[in-house]
Amino acid sequence: NAGVTQTPKFQVLKTGQSMTLQCAQDMNHEYMSWYRQDPGMGLRLIHYSVGAGITDQGEVPNGYNVSRSTTEDFPLRLLSAAPSQTSVYFCASSYGGFDEQYFGPGTRLTVT
Amino acid sequence: AQTVTQSQPEMSVQEAETVTLSCTYDTSESDYYLFWYKQPPSRQMILVIRQEAYKQQNATENRFSVNFQKAAKSFSLKISDSQLGDAAMYFCAYTRSGNTGKLIFGQGTTLQVKP
């Protein structure tokens, strides 16, 4: 089991560029989420999914899009990168909504 | 809206001693779950302990235990016999009933363990 994988580990973008952060899990988990981590603010939920084809917004969804076409994959798209999106991004998955969430290793994104 | 507050940005403990990290939360729900996650310098998030709100008994996992006070909306983590490997950032988190998997995190507490 690879668990939750994220690519890339590091990324530098220029303002206005778009990109997709990849997330995959091989545990057959229904629940998947994207968080961003900023100093002094903990982790904040961007978008989440309770199953293939079902997504919803979290606390800070603006500037991000998601889709969930398969159980395994949950990509996060930045439409037009802004310096405010400089952060560390974590993908997580869980079997049920109340269960332990398994986190990927994170992606450090810098927008200049 | 639900909120989670960790009022101690940094804590330190001597190796082999005991330390308690504080967490308070605000919710109008009666059924929910609380978690403590550890994030070492490697950045990997690791579950430490999980508490179901409807259970009176405090959860324990080896050297880690919680003091869950539902009426006071308090959920502190006690680490006994602290080890150098316990040095990390610790996050308290909450999820409500409704089975959405939406976790709300506190700001985090950085724990330093002194040899």
Side-chain angles (χ1 to χ4, degrees), chain A residues 37-109:
Chain A
Q37 181 177 14
D38 301 293
M41 303 188 74
L43 281 75
R44 291 180 293 167
L45 182 65
I46 305 172
H47 286 284
Y48 66 101
S49 169
V50 300
I54 307 169
T55 65
D56 205 348
Q57 296 180 351
E59 298 173 69
V60 288
N62 292 342
Y64 307 95
N65 270 357
V66 292
S67 60
R68 183 103 179 266
S69 55
T70 67
T71 299
E72 294 78 20
D73 301 297
F74 191 43
L76 178 72
R77 281 181 289 277
L78 279 70
L79 308 173
S80 177
S84 61
Q85 293 179 305
T86 293
S87 188
V88 179
Y89 291 84
F90 287 96
C91 178
S93 74
S94 63
Y95 180 73
F98 305 133
D99 295 326
E100 172 185 3
Q101 292 201 7
Y102 292 83
F103 285 79
T107 296
R108 182 175 292 279
L109 175 68

Side-chain angles (χ1 to χ4, degrees), chain B residues 97-113:
Chain B
S97 63
N99 211 20
T100 63
K102 294 169 63 176
L103 271 181
I104 298 170
F105 284 87
Q107 303 90 329
T109 297
T110 300
L111 177 66
Q112 181 186 24
V113 180

Side-chain angles (χ1 to χ4, degrees), chain B residues 8 11 13 18-22 67 76-79 109 111:
Chain B
Q8 306 154 316
M11 294 280 286
V13 63
T18 296
V19 64
T20 298
L21 308 184
S22 301
N67 183 6
S76 60
L77 176 70
K78 185 171 84 170
I79 306 174
T109 297
L111 177 66

Side-chain angles (χ1 to χ4, degrees), chain B:
Chain B
Q2 293 91 0
T3 57
V4 177
T5 302
Q6 293 177 250
S7 58
Q8 306 154 316
E10 295 178 352
M11 294 280 286
S12 67
V13 63
Q14 209 69 34
E15 197 176 5
E17 297 293 311
T18 296
V19 64
T20 298
L21 308 184
S22 301
C23 173
T24 59
Y25 57 94
D26 186 23
T27 183
S28 57
E29 305 282 339
S30 59
D31 189 16
Y32 50 86
Y33 291 73
L34 297 163
F35 305 81
W36 279 98
Y37 281 88
K38 171 185 177 181
Q39 186 181 44
S42 67
R43 208 167 67 189
Q44 183 65 52
M45 295 283 287
I46 304 162
L47 178 70
V48 175
I49 205 161
R50 173 176 174 267
Q51 175 79 43
E52 300 165 47
Y54 64 86
K55 286 190 176 178
Q56 301 281 355
Q57 190 173 5
N58 288 327
T60 62
E61 284 289 342
N62 301 314
R63 296 182 296 107
F64 298 87
S65 61
V66 298
N67 183 6
F68 173 49
Q69 301 288 329
K70 191 172 185 179
K73 296 180 184 174
S74 170
F75 183 60
S76 60
L77 176 70
K78 185 171 84 170
I79 306 174
S80 304
D81 185 25
S82 297
Q83 300 176 359
L84 295 177
D86 295 334
M89 181 165 279
Y90 287 81
F91 291 99
C92 179
Y94 161 100
T95 189
R96 66 171 178 84
S97 63
N99 211 20
T100 63
K102 294 169 63 176
L103 271 181
I104 298 170
F105 284 87
Q107 303 90 329
T109 297
T110 300
L111 177 66
Q112 181 186 24
V113 180
K114 298 178 181 177

